[in-house]
Amino acid sequence: AQRVTQPEKLLSVFKGAPVELKCNYSYSGSPELFWYVQYSRQRLQLLLRHISRESIKGFTADLNKGETSFHLKKPFAQEEDSAMYYCALQLSGNTPLVFGKGTRLSVIA
Amino acid sequence: GAVVSQHPSWVICKSGTSVKIECRSLDFQATTMFWYRQFPKQSLMLMATSNEGSKATYEQGVEKDKFLINHASLTLSTLTVTSAHPEDSSFYICSARESRLFSYEQYFGPGTRLTVT
């Protein structure tokens, strides 16, 4: 079965420092990968998806099929980036998302 | 943008009673809706996939007779927790997928916190 692994439960970085949230997946095919973010007391929202290859709020993520990874990166963390980040996988268009356990990012001033 | 609402946002009920949670897509039609459960400081666990006009597909380990899901229209899905017990206390989140060709984005509701006493 497909699985998404986020090895870090909590990641604390100083403001202005680079951030990398790790995500690995297990699936033999070509899934779609997503990053979702949940700010305090807000609903889950899409941050970015690998097929769009865009940068949102300074975050980027590159799908590495060889390493089955989809790490989320930002060169300079901001305090407002503090949130819960979930990596998710989707096998095909109409299948449900499979979520990792999430990583809480805390950006320290 | 697409908005998904849930009602109620929180509910407290006594053990043995049933609770209904509504999930609505406010400005789009959703052929498919998903119900998730989230325990404190844990990830979202998919409970079931709900398709308009047909029976829901439940994930392994989820009791379909306990968690009744109805998707009667393209904008409304309901989750009824029957004969609730304290262990059913959790945060329930729905998401809806827009019924548009090649549109696969899911929009999430704000969640409903259920506390069973």
Side-chain angles (χ1 to χ4, degrees):
Chain A
Q2 56 278 5
R3 189 170 64 244
V4 177
T5 303
Q6 292 180 250
E8 303 136 329
K9 281 188 177 180
L10 173 65
L11 183 64
S12 296
V13 300
F14 286 103
K15 178 182 174 181
V19 173
E20 183 179 49
L21 300 170
K22 291 184 168 52
C23 172
N24 288 89
Y25 65 93
S26 60
Y27 180 61
S28 57
S30 296
E32 280 198 55
L33 274 298
F34 304 82
W35 276 99
Y36 281 82
V37 61
Q38 189 172 29
Y39 298 103
S40 180
R41 299 182 184 280
Q42 293 188 30
R43 70 185 68 196
L44 205 63
Q45 55 185 288
L46 178 65
L47 181 61
L48 53 80
R49 65 181 78 183
H50 89 271
I51 57 171
S52 58
R53 302 181 69 81
E54 57 192 344
S55 174
I56 303 293
K57 299 184 179 181
F59 285 97
T60 58
D62 290 318
L63 179 61
N64 186 323
K65 291 186 178 181
E67 296 182 356
T68 58
S69 68
F70 187 56
H71 303 327
L72 183 69
K73 300 177 183 178
K74 184 170 182 176
F76 308 104
Q78 302 299 314
E79 288 180 74
E80 55 264 30
D81 296 328
S82 296
M84 196 73 183
Y85 291 81
Y86 294 96
C87 182
L89 171 157
Q90 186 176 45
L91 300 185
S92 62
N94 205 32
T95 57
L97 290 165
V98 176
F99 286 91
K101 293 189 174 182
T103 298
R104 181 167 297 281
L105 174 64
S106 176
V107 180
I108 306 164
Chain B
V3 178
V4 175
S5 71
Q6 281 185 242
H7 178 79
S9 55
W10 60 270
V11 59
I12 301 173
C13 71
K14 290 187 176 181
S15 188
T17 61
S18 295
V19 173
K20 180 184 284 188
I21 302 170
E22 292 186 350
C23 176
R24 293 181 185 272
S25 55
L26 297 185
D27 49 3
F28 66 99
Q29 294 186 329
T31 307
T32 305
M33 290 185 173
F34 304 93
W35 285 95
Y36 294 87
R37 184 173 178 176
Q38 186 177 34
F39 292 99
K41 298 185 179 181
Q42 295 191 31
S43 187
L44 286 77
M45 182 191 77
L46 179 67
M47 298 175 66
T49 300
S50 167
N51 290 298
E52 186 265 337
S54 63
K55 290 184 179 180
T57 302
Y58 290 82
E59 295 299 301
Q60 192 173 11
V62 178
E63 298 176 62
K64 59 182 179 182
D65 293 330
K66 182 170 187 59
F67 298 100
L68 300 178
I69 292 172
N70 184 280
H71 193 157
S73 76
L74 286 172
T75 59
L76 172 65
S77 177
T78 60
L79 166 68
T80 302
V81 183
T82 62
S83 187
H85 288 282
E87 56 264 31
D88 299 325
S89 298
S90 191
F91 197 56
Y92 293 89
I93 301 172
C94 75
S95 71
R97 176 171 288 147
E98 196 171 2
S99 300
R100 204 157 44 93
L101 194 63
F102 302 124
S103 172
Y104 303 128
E105 184 165 347
Q106 285 187 40
Y107 301 96
F108 286 82
T112 296
R113 183 161 302 285
L114 170 64
T115 301
V116 184
T117 60

